[in-house]
Amino acid sequence: MSVFMDLNLNYTKETSRMRSLIETAAHLGFSTVAINHVFEPTAKKKQEIPSPTRINELMDALPVVQGRSRPIRVLNRLTVVMSDSSHFRPNAAEYRGFDLLAVQPTTEKLFHAACMLYEVDIICVSVTEKLPFFFKRAPVNGAVGRGVVFEVSYSAAIRDSTRRRYTIANAVSLVESCRGKNVILSSAAEKPLEIRGPYDITNLGLLFGLSDADAKDAVSSTCRSVVLHAETRKLASGIIYTMKTSNESSSQQEAPPADTGEAPAAKRAKPHLTQ
């Protein structure tokens, strides 16, 4: 059974709406969601990077995923909208509090840098306007080779017919460049009614030019690779990967056999048989 994910639920200060978004995602069968904090720096005044949401303060108990017996997993994500190279600070301590790191470049030069240089997990494709540049194979293939994925969100297409045209045009252009690989589809929902079910999103992926397999991966296995990429990015670029284990398993390990002074059975002298 596939594990579905929506890695873009727009953050809102209204806790009741934020809870409704998470509950709706769990009801639709999403096992993992990410609360997306959008940070758009400007040159006019200095802005502070937002802080991640404390999940235990947002909800007392996480809702159980529809069709599964475990609660939904909620991550924190930061998306930096870049109009200048100085807007992305790779060594910023504020970035470390987020589980996922994404950028949305607004120029071709920044898009090339994001694909080839920046240590990020997701590159967002704008769906609210026509892109001022074309996707080129070299940087797109560079991002795919580094494990970075491209994101197309669909909620803007629900709100406005003009943005629907931009969403379809930009998504089709991206899919043609990356050949359907390393693409995720997410909602960027601001209201619960803007979230669609996993299979509806898969059908939307077919409209964008994805194959049946790639469309399904765009809400499941490719999203899972994003989460793993984010974890390895924090752990020495994936050289070391650790997993939590329970104390019981370590305490129940069998002790090595005591040394009795006898030679191993394989090395003991075999008795001679007499006829």
Side-chain angles (χ1 to χ4, degrees):
M1 185 176 180
S2 300
V3 176
F4 299 112
M5 302 184 185
D6 187 345
L7 300 183
N8 190 347
L9 298 181
N10 268 345
Y11 169 76
T12 175
K13 294 182 179 179
E14 298 181 24
T15 56
S16 59
R17 182 184 294 184
M18 201 74 252
R19 284 195 293 264
S20 297
L21 285 171
I22 297 173
E23 291 170 355
T24 302
H27 179 72
L28 291 173
F30 290 99
S31 297
T32 303
V33 295
I35 299 176
N36 186 25
H37 299 256
V38 179
F39 177 57
E40 189 170 359
T42 59
K44 296 181 180 179
K45 59 180 180 179
K46 185 177 180 180
Q47 295 173 286
E48 293 184 0
I49 298 175
S51 301
T53 302
R54 296 181 181 271
I55 308 303
N56 55 351
E57 296 179 0
L58 180 64
M59 308 182 75
D60 295 331
L62 293 173
V64 177
V65 179
Q66 181 73 21
R68 295 180 176 268
S69 58
R70 59 189 181 201
I72 192 171
R73 183 185 182 190
V74 182
L75 307 175
N76 274 291
R77 163 182 162 178
L78 176 66
T79 300
V80 182
V81 181
M82 300 173 53
S83 56
D84 187 84
S85 59
S86 62
H87 292 165
F88 181 74
R89 297 180 292 163
N91 298 322
E94 294 85 353
Y95 290 177
R96 300 171 189 170
F98 292 89
D99 301 298
L100 303 175
L101 183 58
V103 293
Q104 182 177 321
T106 57
T107 66
E108 184 176 5
K109 183 178 180 180
L110 293 174
F111 178 80
H112 187 279
C115 291
M116 306 300 292
L117 301 175
Y118 294 161
E119 289 296 330
V120 296
D121 309 306
I122 302 171
I123 298 176
C124 306
V125 177
S126 176
V127 294
T128 59
E129 60 183 359
K130 185 177 180 180
L131 289 175
F133 58 90
F134 295 100
F135 297 109
K136 295 182 178 179
R137 287 278 174 85
V140 169
N141 291 340
V144 172
R146 296 197 305 125
V148 180
V149 304
F150 301 96
E151 179 192 58
V152 177
S153 56
Y154 60 82
S155 62
I158 300 175
R159 304 187 196 114
D160 184 79
S161 60
T162 302
R163 293 183 177 184
R164 186 180 306 129
R165 291 196 298 269
Y166 291 145
T167 300
I168 296 174
N170 295 345
V172 169
S173 178
L174 172 67
V175 170
E176 289 177 351
S177 298
C178 66
R179 299 176 182 175
K181 304 302 180 184
N182 285 40
V183 175
I184 64 172
L185 302 176
S186 58
S187 65
E190 298 177 356
K191 302 176 182 179
L193 290 176
E194 294 175 347
I195 304 178
R196 295 295 183 266
Y199 295 104
D200 292 334
I201 301 173
T202 299
N203 292 332
L204 185 63
L206 300 179
L207 178 63
F208 294 157
L210 294 172
S211 64
D212 290 336
D214 290 337
K216 186 177 180 180
D217 291 343
V219 290
S220 56
S221 60
T222 306
C223 294
R224 182 175 179 271
S225 70
V226 174
V227 177
L228 292 177
H229 182 273
E231 293 176 356
T232 54
R233 175 176 52 81
K234 294 182 178 181
L235 299 172
S237 299
I239 297 175
I240 300 175
Y241 183 80
T242 60
M243 295 183 65
K244 294 181 180 179
T245 57
S246 61
N247 294 330
E248 295 179 359
S249 60
S250 60
S251 62
Q252 293 178 354
Q253 292 180 352
E254 296 182 0
D259 187 8
T260 58
E262 298 181 1
K267 294 185 179 181
R268 292 175 187 169
K270 296 182 180 179
H272 296 282
L273 299 176
T274 58
Q275 296 181 351

Short mmCIF file of all heavy atoms in Angstrom, two decimals, residues 2 4-5 175 179-186 197-223:
data_model
loop_
_atom_site.label_atom_id
_atom_site.label_comp_id
_atom_site.label_asym_id
_atom_site.label_seq_id
_atom_site.Cartn_x
_atom_site.Cartn_y
_atom_site.Cartn_z
N SER A 2 0.58 2.19 -0.88
CA SER A 2 1.39 3.39 -1.01
C SER A 2 1.19 4.33 0.18
O SER A 2 0.10 4.38 0.76
CB SER A 2 1.05 4.12 -2.31
OG SER A 2 1.30 3.30 -3.43
N PHE A 4 1.04 8.13 1.03
CA PHE A 4 0.84 9.39 0.34
C PHE A 4 1.25 10.56 1.23
O PHE A 4 1.08 10.53 2.45
CB PHE A 4 -0.63 9.55 -0.08
CG PHE A 4 -1.10 8.48 -1.02
CD1 PHE A 4 -2.03 7.54 -0.62
CD2 PHE A 4 -0.59 8.40 -2.31
CE1 PHE A 4 -2.46 6.55 -1.49
CE2 PHE A 4 -1.01 7.41 -3.19
CZ PHE A 4 -1.95 6.48 -2.77
N MET A 5 1.79 11.61 0.59
CA MET A 5 2.27 12.78 1.31
C MET A 5 1.86 14.06 0.61
O MET A 5 1.80 14.09 -0.63
CB MET A 5 3.79 12.75 1.45
CG MET A 5 4.36 11.54 2.15
SD MET A 5 6.16 11.67 2.37
CE MET A 5 6.51 10.05 3.05
N VAL A 175 7.76 19.27 -16.90
CA VAL A 175 7.73 17.82 -17.12
C VAL A 175 8.46 17.46 -18.41
O VAL A 175 9.16 16.43 -18.49
CB VAL A 175 6.28 17.32 -17.14
CG1 VAL A 175 6.21 15.86 -17.61
CG2 VAL A 175 5.65 17.46 -15.76
N ARG A 179 11.51 15.13 -17.95
CA ARG A 179 10.96 13.85 -18.41
C ARG A 179 10.19 13.14 -17.29
O ARG A 179 10.21 11.90 -17.19
CB ARG A 179 12.07 12.96 -18.94
CG ARG A 179 12.80 13.57 -20.14
CD ARG A 179 13.96 12.74 -20.60
NE ARG A 179 14.65 13.37 -21.72
CZ ARG A 179 15.77 12.90 -22.28
NH1 ARG A 179 16.31 11.78 -21.83
NH2 ARG A 179 16.34 13.55 -23.28
N GLY A 180 9.55 13.92 -16.46
CA GLY A 180 8.69 13.36 -15.42
C GLY A 180 9.39 12.87 -14.18
O GLY A 180 8.73 12.37 -13.26
N LYS A 181 10.71 13.01 -14.11
CA LYS A 181 11.46 12.50 -12.96
C LYS A 181 11.63 13.61 -11.91
O LYS A 181 11.76 14.77 -12.23
CB LYS A 181 12.83 11.99 -13.39
CG LYS A 181 12.77 10.91 -14.47
CD LYS A 181 11.95 9.71 -14.02
CE LYS A 181 11.87 8.64 -15.09
NZ LYS A 181 10.99 7.51 -14.68
N ASN A 182 11.63 13.19 -10.66
CA ASN A 182 11.85 14.09 -9.52
C ASN A 182 10.85 15.24 -9.49
O ASN A 182 11.21 16.40 -9.28
CB ASN A 182 13.28 14.64 -9.54
CG ASN A 182 14.31 13.62 -9.10
OD1 ASN A 182 14.20 12.45 -9.46
ND2 ASN A 182 15.29 14.04 -8.33
N VAL A 183 9.59 14.93 -9.68
CA VAL A 183 8.51 15.91 -9.60
C VAL A 183 7.55 15.49 -8.50
O VAL A 183 7.17 14.32 -8.41
CB VAL A 183 7.74 16.03 -10.93
CG1 VAL A 183 6.56 16.98 -10.79
CG2 VAL A 183 8.66 16.50 -12.04
N ILE A 184 7.18 16.43 -7.63
CA ILE A 184 6.16 16.17 -6.63
C ILE A 184 5.00 17.14 -6.84
O ILE A 184 5.19 18.26 -7.32
CB ILE A 184 6.70 16.30 -5.18
CG1 ILE A 184 7.16 17.73 -4.89
CG2 ILE A 184 7.82 15.30 -4.93
CD1 ILE A 184 7.52 17.97 -3.42
N LEU A 185 3.81 16.69 -6.51
CA LEU A 185 2.60 17.50 -6.61
C LEU A 185 2.07 17.73 -5.20
O LEU A 185 1.90 16.78 -4.43
CB LEU A 185 1.54 16.80 -7.47
CG LEU A 185 1.95 16.46 -8.90
CD1 LEU A 185 0.84 15.69 -9.59
CD2 LEU A 185 2.30 17.72 -9.68
N SER A 186 1.83 18.98 -4.85
CA SER A 186 1.34 19.31 -3.52
C SER A 186 0.24 20.35 -3.63
O SER A 186 0.03 20.96 -4.68
CB SER A 186 2.48 19.81 -2.63
OG SER A 186 3.10 20.94 -3.21
N GLY A 197 -7.77 14.56 -2.86
CA GLY A 197 -7.29 13.23 -2.51
C GLY A 197 -6.14 12.78 -3.38
O GLY A 197 -5.92 13.31 -4.47
N PRO A 198 -5.36 11.80 -2.92
CA PRO A 198 -4.18 11.34 -3.67
C PRO A 198 -4.49 10.90 -5.09
O PRO A 198 -3.72 11.19 -6.02
CB PRO A 198 -3.66 10.18 -2.83
CG PRO A 198 -4.18 10.44 -1.46
CD PRO A 198 -5.51 11.08 -1.64
N TYR A 199 -5.61 10.22 -5.30
CA TYR A 199 -5.91 9.71 -6.64
C TYR A 199 -6.40 10.83 -7.56
O TYR A 199 -6.19 10.76 -8.78
CB TYR A 199 -6.93 8.57 -6.54
CG TYR A 199 -6.37 7.37 -5.80
CD1 TYR A 199 -6.75 7.11 -4.49
CD2 TYR A 199 -5.44 6.53 -6.40
CE1 TYR A 199 -6.22 6.04 -3.79
CE2 TYR A 199 -4.90 5.44 -5.72
CZ TYR A 199 -5.29 5.21 -4.41
OH TYR A 199 -4.75 4.15 -3.73
N ASP A 200 -7.04 11.83 -7.00
CA ASP A 200 -7.40 13.00 -7.81
C ASP A 200 -6.15 13.74 -8.26
O ASP A 200 -6.08 14.24 -9.39
CB ASP A 200 -8.30 13.94 -7.00
CG ASP A 200 -9.67 13.34 -6.73
OD1 ASP A 200 -10.11 12.50 -7.53
OD2 ASP A 200 -10.29 13.71 -5.71
N ILE A 201 -5.16 13.82 -7.38
CA ILE A 201 -3.90 14.49 -7.72
C ILE A 201 -3.15 13.69 -8.79
O ILE A 201 -2.52 14.26 -9.68
CB ILE A 201 -3.03 14.67 -6.46
CG1 ILE A 201 -3.78 15.49 -5.41
CG2 ILE A 201 -1.72 15.37 -6.81
CD1 ILE A 201 -3.07 15.57 -4.08
N THR A 202 -3.23 12.38 -8.69
CA THR A 202 -2.60 11.53 -9.71
C THR A 202 -3.19 11.80 -11.09
O THR A 202 -2.47 11.90 -12.09
CB THR A 202 -2.76 10.05 -9.34
OG1 THR A 202 -2.13 9.80 -8.07
CG2 THR A 202 -2.13 9.16 -10.39
N ASN A 203 -4.51 11.94 -11.15
CA ASN A 203 -5.15 12.26 -12.43
C ASN A 203 -4.74 13.64 -12.93
O ASN A 203 -4.59 13.86 -14.14
CB ASN A 203 -6.67 12.20 -12.27
CG ASN A 203 -7.18 10.79 -12.03
OD1 ASN A 203 -6.56 9.82 -12.47
ND2 ASN A 203 -8.28 10.67 -11.32
N LEU A 204 -4.52 14.57 -11.99
CA LEU A 204 -4.05 15.90 -12.38
C LEU A 204 -2.65 15.82 -12.97
O LEU A 204 -2.31 16.55 -13.91
CB LEU A 204 -4.07 16.82 -11.16
CG LEU A 204 -3.71 18.29 -11.39
CD1 LEU A 204 -4.71 18.94 -12.32
CD2 LEU A 204 -3.67 19.03 -10.04
N GLY A 205 -1.82 14.91 -12.42
CA GLY A 205 -0.48 14.72 -12.96
C GLY A 205 -0.49 14.26 -14.40
O GLY A 205 0.40 14.62 -15.19
N LEU A 206 -1.49 13.47 -14.77
CA LEU A 206 -1.61 13.05 -16.17
C LEU A 206 -1.87 14.25 -17.07
O LEU A 206 -1.38 14.30 -18.21
CB LEU A 206 -2.75 12.03 -16.30
CG LEU A 206 -2.61 10.74 -15.49
CD1 LEU A 206 -3.82 9.85 -15.70
CD2 LEU A 206 -1.33 10.00 -15.85
N LEU A 207 -2.63 15.22 -16.57
CA LEU A 207 -2.88 16.44 -17.33
C LEU A 207 -1.59 17.23 -17.54
O LEU A 207 -1.42 17.91 -18.56
CB LEU A 207 -3.92 17.30 -16.61
CG LEU A 207 -4.29 18.65 -17.24
CD1 LEU A 207 -4.93 18.44 -18.60
CD2 LEU A 207 -5.22 19.43 -16.32
N PHE A 208 -0.66 17.14 -16.58
CA PHE A 208 0.61 17.85 -16.68
C PHE A 208 1.61 17.13 -17.57
O PHE A 208 2.71 17.63 -17.81
CB PHE A 208 1.23 18.03 -15.29
CG PHE A 208 0.44 18.93 -14.38
CD1 PHE A 208 0.58 18.83 -13.00
CD2 PHE A 208 -0.43 19.87 -14.89
CE1 PHE A 208 -0.14 19.66 -12.16
CE2 PHE A 208 -1.15 20.71 -14.06
CZ PHE A 208 -1.01 20.60 -12.68
N GLY A 209 1.27 15.94 -18.04
CA GLY A 209 2.16 15.20 -18.93
C GLY A 209 2.92 14.08 -18.25
O GLY A 209 3.77 13.44 -18.89
N LEU A 210 2.64 13.79 -16.98
CA LEU A 210 3.31 12.70 -16.28
C LEU A 210 2.72 11.37 -16.72
O LEU A 210 1.54 11.28 -17.06
CB LEU A 210 3.16 12.85 -14.77
CG LEU A 210 3.85 14.05 -14.11
CD1 LEU A 210 3.42 14.17 -12.64
CD2 LEU A 210 5.37 13.92 -14.19
N SER A 211 3.53 10.33 -16.68
CA SER A 211 3.03 8.98 -16.95
C SER A 211 2.26 8.49 -15.72
O SER A 211 2.27 9.12 -14.66
CB SER A 211 4.19 8.03 -17.24
OG SER A 211 5.03 7.91 -16.10
N ASP A 212 1.58 7.37 -15.86
CA ASP A 212 0.81 6.82 -14.74
C ASP A 212 1.72 6.57 -13.53
O ASP A 212 1.37 6.92 -12.40
CB ASP A 212 0.13 5.51 -15.14
CG ASP A 212 -1.00 5.75 -16.14
OD1 ASP A 212 -1.53 6.88 -16.17
OD2 ASP A 212 -1.35 4.82 -16.88
N ALA A 213 2.88 5.96 -13.77
CA ALA A 213 3.79 5.64 -12.67
C ALA A 213 4.37 6.91 -12.05
O ALA A 213 4.45 7.03 -10.82
CB ALA A 213 4.91 4.73 -13.18
N ASP A 214 4.79 7.86 -12.89
CA ASP A 214 5.38 9.10 -12.36
C ASP A 214 4.35 9.94 -11.62
O ASP A 214 4.67 10.60 -10.63
CB ASP A 214 5.99 9.91 -13.50
CG ASP A 214 7.24 9.27 -14.08
OD1 ASP A 214 7.87 8.47 -13.37
OD2 ASP A 214 7.57 9.56 -15.24
N ALA A 215 3.10 9.92 -12.07
CA ALA A 215 2.05 10.67 -11.40
C ALA A 215 1.78 10.11 -10.00
O ALA A 215 1.57 10.86 -9.04
CB ALA A 215 0.77 10.66 -12.24
N LYS A 216 1.80 8.79 -9.90
CA LYS A 216 1.61 8.16 -8.58
C LYS A 216 2.81 8.43 -7.68
O LYS A 216 2.65 8.71 -6.48
CB LYS A 216 1.38 6.66 -8.74
CG LYS A 216 1.04 5.96 -7.44
CD LYS A 216 0.76 4.49 -7.66
CE LYS A 216 0.42 3.81 -6.34
NZ LYS A 216 0.13 2.36 -6.53
N ASP A 217 4.01 8.36 -8.25
CA ASP A 217 5.22 8.63 -7.46
C ASP A 217 5.25 10.08 -6.97
O ASP A 217 5.85 10.37 -5.93
CB ASP A 217 6.47 8.36 -8.30
CG ASP A 217 6.67 6.88 -8.58
OD1 ASP A 217 6.04 6.05 -7.89
OD2 ASP A 217 7.43 6.54 -9.51
N ALA A 218 4.61 10.99 -7.70
CA ALA A 218 4.64 12.41 -7.35
C ALA A 218 3.94 12.71 -6.03
O ALA A 218 4.15 13.79 -5.46
CB ALA A 218 4.02 13.24 -8.47
N VAL A 219 3.11 11.79 -5.55
CA VAL A 219 2.46 11.98 -4.26
C VAL A 219 2.83 10.88 -3.26
O VAL A 219 2.27 10.81 -2.17
CB VAL A 219 0.92 12.02 -4.41
CG1 VAL A 219 0.49 13.29 -5.10
CG2 VAL A 219 0.39 10.80 -5.14
N SER A 220 3.79 10.03 -3.65
CA SER A 220 4.16 8.93 -2.75
C SER A 220 5.68 8.76 -2.65
O SER A 220 6.32 9.42 -1.83
CB SER A 220 3.49 7.63 -3.21
OG SER A 220 3.83 7.34 -4.55
N SER A 221 6.26 7.92 -3.49
CA SER A 221 7.66 7.56 -3.32
C SER A 221 8.62 8.72 -3.54
O SER A 221 9.66 8.83 -2.85
CB SER A 221 8.03 6.41 -4.27
OG SER A 221 7.81 6.78 -5.61
N THR A 222 8.32 9.62 -4.48
CA THR A 222 9.20 10.78 -4.67
C THR A 222 9.15 11.71 -3.47
O THR A 222 10.17 12.28 -3.07
CB THR A 222 8.81 11.55 -5.95
OG1 THR A 222 8.79 10.66 -7.06
CG2 THR A 222 9.79 12.68 -6.24
N CYS A 223 7.98 11.85 -2.86
CA CYS A 223 7.87 12.65 -1.63
C CYS A 223 8.68 12.01 -0.50
O CYS A 223 9.31 12.71 0.30
CB CYS A 223 6.41 12.78 -1.21
SG CYS A 223 5.39 13.72 -2.36
#
